[in-house]
Structure formats: C-alpha cells, structure tokens
C-alpha cells in the first residue's frame, strides 16, 4: 500500500512539474512574439501555439491546410515558402526564409525544424513565424543607401564604379567598348549661391530625373555629388551611343527646366567622354579620363562635349606639373623680368618698354608666360606673381631713371584677378611712392575679357587710375569681343593691335581694310595705336604708311633683360 501511495505522490509531483514546465514554455512562447505551429507526422495533427492571431486569421488543423499560407504572402515568396513549409528532405534539420505578407506588408521569417527518429524518418515538425519587419526595413534602407544617391534616386558613385567595373570586365571578354560620359552642370555654384541651396538641390534633382530616362540594361546613370553626373554605356559602338544621348540632352537643354516655384531655369552642361579600351583599362581610370576631358569642355566655353584623346591627357598632366612647380616658384620668387622696347613709328625713337615676366624652372628650362599665366590666373597665384612683377619692374625702372634721367614709359600687364583685388589701386599708389615714380610714367595693359564680368566696376577703377595720371592700354585688340562701337565709352589711352592682324597685314587685303579702319577710328577717338608682333620691314613700312603711332616687335627689338634696355637708352642719348 505504502508503495502505491508513494507512487501516487511521485506521479502528482511529476504532474505538477509537467504543468509547471508547460506553463513556463507557454509563457516563453507567448512573450517571444512569435507564433508556432507543431505538426505530428504519426497523427497528422497540427497545433498552433502562442501568438497565432498576430500573424494569421485562419486555423490550420492538418498538413493539407499548409497551402492556406500561400494566399497571404506576395506571389514571389510562394516558392521559398513552399520549400520551408513542406521540407522533408532527409538529414535537413531546419530551413528559414523571409516572406512578405500581402495585406499587412509585414516581413515574416518562417523557420522550420524537423525531428527524425532513429531510422531517419521525420516524426515532428515545428514552424516558427517571426515578425522581422523592423529589421528588414532598416536593412533595406541600408541596402538603398549603399546603392543609391538619396537626393536624385540615381545610382551613387560607389555603385556606379562597381557596375562600370563589371561592364569593363564583360567588354574584355566580349571584345566590346564601354564609354563614360562625365557631366558637370555649368555655373551651378552661381545658381546655388544666388538662388539658395534648396533651389540648388531641386535643380540637381530635376536634371537627374531627366538623365534617368537614359538608363537601361546597358546604360547606367549616376549622380556623383554636387552637380556631377556620370553615365556608363556598355557596348557603346564608337561614339554612336554617346552621340545619341548627347543629341537628346542638347535638345532638352534648348528648353528651360521648371522648378516647383514655377520659375523657369535654363541649364547647360559640360561633358567629357572617355572610352574603354582606348582611353583606360579600368573603371576608375576611365572616370578620371572623362573628368579631365570635361575640364577641357569647360575651358572651351562650357555647354559642349569633348572626347578623350591622349594629347588632352598629356596637356593635363603637364599642367598639373606646372601648377605644382609654379607654387614653389612663387614661394622662391624664381622669376625674372624682361622688357621689350616700343618705338615711335615716325622716327624709331624709344617710346617705352613692356615688362614681360620670365620663369626659369629648377632644371633651367624657360617656361613661357602664355603657358603659366593662365594656370596662375586659375589657381590664384597670379596675385602674388603680379605684385612681384610690379615691384620688380618699378625697382628696375627706378634704377634706369636715376642712371639716365631719360623719359620712357613702363607698360605692365595686369590680369583681371589683380584688378579685382579691392586694394589694387592703393597698392599701385604705394609702390609708385616707394620708388619715386610719377603715375604718368606707367601704363597698365588690360585685355577686353576683364570687362565682360563686371563692366561698370572695372571701368570705375580704370577711371580712378586715370584720374591719378596712370595710362591705360587695351591689349590684344581684335582677338576678343572687340567691337569698334564699344571702344568709344572706354577710359583708355592706348590701343594695342594684336599680332594676328599684323601677321597677315601684308598678304591679306581684308586685314588691311580692318586695320586701316581701326587706326582711323581710334585716332578720331584720341587714342594712341601700338602694333604688336611686327617682325618684318614690310609690315613696319605698311604700318608707318597708315599712321600707326607705335611699333613693338622682333623687327625692332625682342624682349631683353634690363641691361639690354640700358644699352638702348644709351643709344638714344648718344
Ligand atoms: P602680350 O601682353 O600680348 O605680350 C606680347 C607677347 O608677344 C610677348 O610674349 C612677346 O614676347 C611676344 N612678341 C612680341 N613681339 C613679337 C614678335 O615680333 N613676334 C613674336 N612671335 N612674338 C612677339 P611673352 O613674353 O611670351 O608673353 C606672352 C603673354 O604672357 C603676354 O602677351 C601676356 O599676356 C602674358 N604676360 C607676360 N608677362 C606678364 C605679366 O607680367 N603679367 C601678366 N598678367 N601677364 C603677362
Ligand atoms: Ca601685353
Ligand atoms: Ca598683346
């Protein structure tokens, strides 16, 4: 009996423990926010456990009911779902897949585990359903950010580079070409500054949207940053594919773009093109080459397309080299002033000299100013260089003056950027005082290009300079925007006719007609005329015959160091 009692006790303790364990398991299941489905093979019975109603609004009672799940997920997930639900392959203990629910748009992870008997037959199956919406959407966002540019929705730079790399690899195997178009909106900085960054962003978006129309299986369109976009084209077939896209871009750019504020904005874009395999052998180099060529498009007046050739790359690398050396030269002041004499045509008497800078690099090579001055103007080093030119020229000039007391005029080239410095006039005045030079002894040479930007501000400055007695000369006349009509209002004293006219004056009837009317008109306006680049006796005689006042050129004197000018002054004095 006692034995029976003991067994009853033991059983009820076991029972309590089982109830306790079952409660604990239920609590664990419920608080896990998952739903479970338990299937017993032998009985073909199904039990749903824990948060079933959170996921599904239908019961499942037998194995056949499993197909009810298909109706709740998006269609493309039915195949992986089927695999997870019906898996029975020997040895596979568990399988998981993520599916998206049709109505709730919830992401559900479905994980199935199977238990086998010793003969490897499945006995039990447990399917767990877990809400992974939060995790997946964060993940999707990360994936999005990894591939796309948030502002435009186009592919971002990283993805573009990767994709372009794949194009290049494929092109290697299939013997095809890949082209990159590097696009940079013109004057975007100005629009951004003038209209504000919100409008700037909208412009980037609108243009990006327009470019996205070109994307296809073989064309990837991306936004790099700011106002830069890149298009990669697989199997570009010479310039054909690029030309077709460019044609469409040009056509679109003829019309304005409408902003949300209804404002209409005209856009223009500079494009550089490079092609695999002729320009470069990998994606990054290809993009680099296209960018370099884009700079060429900018330099050619913006709003155009340029194609890569090796000369462009050479020039670019050369410029970079010069730019680096130039910065050193400015620091060490490795420059020298030469002077080219100017003579009165009538009696060949010395009128003055034009100061021309010379740069000897560390290898002793002479670098011409028309190569490095434009670079210095671009990177701003023209300002310290210009200051040095002025000080050094005035110092030398003061030496001649003291030595010979012979009156000649000193002409100095001044770049637009120098003129635009707010303290320009003041610094000229100070230097003149420092070297005891009268303003009337110097002449500043400007080019017409300086006036395009801000005609009024520049002419005001010219007037102020003339008011203190400094002469102003208009350089390179005939090469730029020159129109005789606008000369009338300019505060200048001298006009320099460009060498390109002088070159053809003897051989070309048209040039003679132009040059004669220039001189006639300019004299009427009361300016002096200087002809530049006079190399031959014929040119000189012709210019003398038509009353050109002053001659500068190799025929009468090349640019020379200071002592050469001293010899000329001595000759005048003799
Ligand atoms: P530019 O002001 O038009 O100077 C005249 C250029 O023509 C000089 O070249 C001169 O050497 C050259 N030249 C003069 N006569 C003849 C000739 O008969 N035949 C030929 N073939 N050439 C002749 P350079 O010295 O190489 O200067 C080139 C340009 O560099 C100058 O053109 C000027 O725009 C710029 N530059 C030179 N020095 C300075 C400077 O100190 N400051 C600034 N801002 N620019 C300068
Ligand atoms: Ca000049
Ligand atoms: Ca000139």
């Amino acid at each position: 009996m006692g034995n029976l009692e003991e067994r009853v006790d033991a059983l009820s303790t076991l029972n309590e423990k089982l109830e306790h364990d079952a409660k604990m398991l239920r609590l664990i299941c419920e608080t896990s926010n998952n739903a479970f489905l338990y299937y017993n093979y032998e009985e073909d019975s199904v039990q749903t456990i824990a948060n079933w109603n959170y996921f599904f609004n239908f019961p499942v009672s037998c194995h056949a009911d499993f197909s009810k799940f298909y109706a709740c997920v998006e269609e493309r997930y039915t195949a992986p779902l089927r695999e997870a639900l019906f898996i029975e392959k020997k040895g596979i203990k568990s399988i998981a897949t993520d599916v998206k629910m049709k109505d709730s748009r919830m992401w559900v992870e479905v994980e199935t585990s199977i238990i086998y008997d010793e003969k490897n037959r499945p006995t039990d199956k447990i399917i767990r359903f877990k809400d992974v919406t939060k995790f997946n959407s964060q993940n999707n966002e990360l994936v999005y950010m990894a591939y796309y540019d948030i502002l435009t929705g186009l592919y971002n730079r990283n993805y573009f580079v990767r994709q372009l790399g794949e194009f290049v690899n494929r092109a290697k195997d299939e013997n095809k070409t890949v082209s990159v178009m590097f696009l940079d909106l013109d004057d975007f900085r100005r629009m951004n500054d003038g209209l504000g960054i919100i409008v700037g962003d909208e412009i980037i978006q609108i243009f990006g949207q327009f470019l996205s129309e070109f994307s296809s299986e073989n064309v990837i369109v991306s936004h790099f940053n700011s106002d830069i976009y890149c298009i990669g084209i697989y199997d570009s077939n010479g310039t054909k594919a690029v030309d077709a896209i460019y044609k469409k871009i040009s056509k679109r750019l003829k019309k304005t773009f409408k902003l949300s504020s209804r404002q209409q904005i005209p856009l223009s874009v500079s494009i550089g093109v490079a092609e695999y395999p002729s320009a470069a052998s990998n994606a990054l180099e290809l993009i680099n080459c296209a960018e370099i060529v884009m700079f060429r498009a900018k330099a050619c007046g913006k709003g155009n397309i340029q194609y890569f050739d090796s000369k462009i790359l050479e020039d670019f690398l050369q410029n970079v080299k010069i730019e680096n050396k130039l910065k050193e030269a400015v620091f060490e002041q490795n420059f020298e002033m030469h002077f080219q004499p100017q003579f009165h045509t009538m009696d060949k008497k010395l009128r003055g000299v034009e100061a021309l800078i010379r740069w000897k690099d560390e290898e002793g090579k002479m670098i011409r100013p028309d190569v490095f001055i434009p670079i210095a103007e671009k990177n701003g080093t023209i300002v310290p260089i210009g200051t040095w030119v002025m000080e050094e020229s005035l110092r030398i000039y003061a030496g001649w003056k003291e030595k010979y007391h012979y009156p000649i005029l000193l002409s100095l080239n001044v770049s637009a950027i120098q003129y635009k410095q707010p303290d320009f006039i003041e610094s000229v005045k100070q230097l003149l005082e420092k070297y005891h030079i009268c303003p009337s002894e110097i002449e500043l040479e400007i080019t017409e290009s300086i006036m395009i930007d801000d005609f009024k501000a520049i002419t005001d400055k010219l007037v102020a300079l003339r008011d203190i007695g400094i002469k102003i000369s208009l350089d390179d006349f005939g090469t730029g925007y020159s129109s005789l009509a606008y000369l009338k209002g300019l505060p200048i004293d001298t006009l320099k006719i460009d060498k390109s006219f002088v070159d053809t004056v003897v051989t070309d009837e048209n040039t003679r007609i132009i040059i004669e009317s220039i001189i006639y008109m300019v004299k009427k306006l009361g300016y002096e005329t200087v002809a530049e680049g006079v190399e031959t006796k014929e040119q000189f005689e012709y210019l003398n015959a038509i009353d050109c006042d002053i001659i500068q050129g190799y025929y009468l004197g090349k640019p020379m160091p200071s002592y050469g000018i001293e010899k000329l002054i001595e000759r005048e004095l003799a």
Side-chain angles (χ1 to χ4, degrees):
M1 252 337 251
N3 215 351
L4 183 64
E5 248 174 55
E6 271 173 30
R7 275 164 63 187
V8 170
D9 276 355
L11 272 175
S12 66
T13 316
L14 188 65
N15 204 19
E16 269 171 35
K17 188 172 179 320
L18 279 174
E19 269 177 27
H20 175 263
D21 285 357
K23 194 172 149 194
M24 188 177 76
L25 266 174
R26 207 174 54 243
L27 274 173
I28 292 175
C29 291
E30 276 167 12
T31 51
S32 73
N33 286 333
N34 297 335
F36 296 88
L37 190 152
Y38 169 70
Y39 175 71
N40 183 288
Y41 281 81
E42 205 180 335
E43 298 165 4
D44 187 24
S45 67
V46 173
Q47 220 179 312
T48 55
I49 307 163
N51 305 291
W52 187 258
N53 296 337
Y54 175 72
F55 293 91
F56 309 106
N57 56 5
F58 54 88
V60 180
S61 50
C62 63
H63 203 245
D65 281 349
F66 282 17
S67 40
K68 284 187 185 170
F69 287 110
Y70 299 153
C72 11
V73 301
E74 287 187 2
E75 205 173 307
R76 58 194 155 135
Y77 297 105
T78 50
L81 182 65
R82 180 180 303 121
E83 205 182 343
L85 293 176
F86 290 101
I87 174 162
E88 240 120 75
K89 274 183 211 146
K90 271 187 189 160
I92 292 188
K93 295 223 164 73
S94 77
I95 184 167
T97 186
D98 284 5
V99 296
K100 195 163 188 194
M101 308 283 274
K102 240 187 223 160
D103 300 332
S104 60
R105 308 196 61 75
M106 192 199 299
W107 277 96
V108 178
E109 183 187 76
V110 182
E111 185 174 9
T112 305
S113 305
I114 300 175
I115 298 163
Y116 298 87
D117 63 12
E118 61 284 356
K119 288 189 181 137
N120 226 351
R121 281 179 309 217
T123 57
D124 309 87
K125 184 188 265 188
I126 297 186
I127 305 173
R128 180 175 58 92
F129 300 90
K130 181 180 182 185
D131 180 356
V132 288
T133 312
K134 206 167 153 192
F135 175 79
N136 272 23
S137 56
Q138 275 170 356
N139 209 28
N140 284 347
E141 206 165 298
L142 285 178
V143 168
Y144 187 86
M145 273 158 63
Y147 294 130
Y148 295 93
D149 161 63
I150 306 284
L151 186 62
T152 57
L154 294 173
Y155 287 125
N156 64 21
R157 184 197 179 109
N158 284 344
Y159 186 73
F160 181 81
V161 172
R162 225 171 77 181
Q163 202 57 22
L164 191 68
E166 280 175 25
F167 276 5
V168 168
N169 286 339
R170 222 168 96 203
K172 254 179 217 159
D173 293 341
E174 296 173 7
N175 212 7
K176 300 276 190 208
T177 56
V178 176
S179 288
V180 169
M181 297 174 80
F182 194 103
L183 298 93
D184 187 306
L185 285 180
D186 296 326
D187 302 317
F188 178 72
R189 271 270 279 294
R190 216 177 27 134
M191 292 191 274
N192 211 33
D193 292 349
L195 303 170
I197 52 168
I198 308 269
V199 176
D201 279 357
E202 199 183 347
I203 292 171
I204 300 286
Q205 279 169 335
I206 290 176
F207 192 66
Q209 212 165 24
F210 161 64
L211 290 181
S212 71
E213 290 169 19
F214 297 114
S215 88
S216 71
E217 199 188 333
N218 283 341
V219 179
I220 30 169
V221 181
S222 75
H223 175 231
F224 269 28
N225 55 41
S226 178
D227 56 338
I228 296 170
Y229 306 83
C230 251
I231 301 179
I233 307 162
Y234 180 74
D235 191 12
S236 44
N237 193 7
T239 60
K240 236 176 163 172
V242 170
D243 289 344
I245 291 179
Y246 183 58
K247 212 167 146 193
K248 286 184 190 154
I249 295 176
S250 305
K251 194 171 161 209
R252 178 62 190 87
L253 292 178
K254 288 203 177 91
K255 290 184 291 172
T256 53
F257 288 78
K258 194 170 171 187
L259 302 179
S260 54
S261 62
R262 291 167 178 268
Q263 196 174 356
Q264 302 276 359
I265 299 269
L267 293 179
S268 112
V269 65
S270 298
I271 306 174
V273 181
E275 186 190 89
Y276 165 86
S278 56
S281 58
N282 66 47
L284 282 177
E285 277 178 23
L286 202 55
I287 295 169
N288 263 347
C289 289
E291 183 178 10
I292 291 168
V293 185
M294 183 280 294
F295 286 124
R296 165 65 63 93
K298 290 263 181 213
C300 293
K302 303 177 183 168
N304 71 94
I305 188 164
Q306 294 286 322
Y307 297 85
F308 179 89
D309 64 52
S310 51
K311 173 90 174 49
I312 294 185
L313 185 64
E314 247 167 59
D315 287 355
F316 178 81
L317 294 177
Q318 176 72 8
N319 273 7
V320 171
K321 214 164 127 194
I322 291 177
E323 189 165 348
N324 289 335
K325 283 206 260 173
L326 186 60
K327 283 182 188 149
E328 270 169 48
V330 171
F331 188 69
E332 289 164 11
Q333 305 200 330
N334 275 340
F335 302 105
E336 204 180 294
M337 288 317 297
H338 280 202
F339 302 88
Q340 185 175 29
Q342 300 173 333
F343 299 92
H344 291 286
T345 319
M346 229 168 46
D347 52 11
K348 292 193 186 164
K349 280 210 160 301
L350 187 63
R351 179 247 190 186
V353 294
E354 176 176 3
L356 295 161
I357 190 168
R358 297 292 175 256
W359 170 21
K360 228 182 207 166
D361 73 6
E362 69 275 14
E363 290 147 22
K365 215 171 85 197
M366 196 69 99
I367 301 177
R368 297 178 47 196
D370 14 6
V371 174
F372 73 85
I373 293 284
I375 297 175
E377 283 174 338
K378 236 180 249 162
N379 72 11
T381 41
I382 189 68
V383 176
I385 292 177
T387 309
W388 181 87
V389 164
M390 198 159 284
E391 169 120 33
E392 179 67 0
S393 307
L394 291 179
R395 188 185 65 79
I396 294 171
Y397 182 87
W400 298 334
K401 205 173 143 177
E402 196 185 34
K403 198 164 167 189
Y404 300 109
H405 304 283
Y406 184 80
I408 56 168
L409 199 63
L410 174 68
S411 297
L412 294 157
N413 291 288
V414 184
S415 292
I417 303 168
Q418 287 173 266
Y419 266 105
K420 285 179 191 158
Q421 299 297 306
D423 61 350
F424 177 72
I425 297 182
E426 198 44 44
S427 65
V428 174
K429 272 193 201 161
Q430 279 174 7
L431 280 176
L432 291 176
E433 270 166 37
K434 179 172 174 188
Y435 292 103
H436 309 290
I437 293 167
C438 300
S440 61
E441 289 170 310
I442 69 163
E443 179 176 68
L444 301 182
E445 294 194 4
I446 56 156
T447 55
E448 293 158 282
S449 57
I450 125 172
M451 266 157 316
I452 336 173
D453 271 359
D454 197 348
F455 189 85
K456 172 88 175 63
I458 299 284
T459 45
D460 283 354
K461 263 191 187 171
L462 296 180
V463 169
L465 287 163
R466 287 181 85 216
D467 282 349
I468 54 175
I470 292 173
K471 282 196 171 64
I472 303 292
S473 163
L474 187 63
D475 203 358
D476 302 340
F477 185 77
T479 55
Y481 315 81
S482 353
S483 100
L484 282 172
Y486 101 125
L487 274 181
K488 207 162 64 180
L490 285 185
I492 60 168
D493 304 273
T494 314
L495 187 124
K496 295 185 83 170
I497 299 168
D498 192 68
K499 178 173 182 300
S500 54
F501 282 104
V502 176
D503 282 345
T504 52
V505 92
V506 178
T507 49
D508 184 45
E509 168 75 21
N510 280 340
T511 310
R512 282 200 292 275
I513 294 171
I514 296 170
I515 224 169
E516 279 167 35
S517 53
I518 291 175
I519 289 178
Y520 174 79
M521 170 106 175
V522 168
K523 278 198 174 290
K524 283 222 147 173
L525 292 169
Y527 312 146
E528 272 185 313
T529 47
V530 179
E532 280 196 283
V534 180
E535 292 181 341
T536 65
K537 189 165 182 262
E538 290 78 23
Q539 288 167 346
F540 175 83
E541 277 170 359
Y542 169 76
L543 290 161
N544 189 18
I546 62 165
D547 265 354
C548 174
D549 302 305
I550 298 141
I551 298 292
Q552 179 180 347
Y554 292 178
Y555 176 61
L556 292 179
K558 287 191 169 182
M560 54 188 90
S562 167
Y563 69 82
I565 300 296
E566 292 191 6
K567 294 277 155 306
L568 282 182
I569 297 175
E570 283 166 15
R571 195 179 74 188
E572 296 281 327
L573 287 170

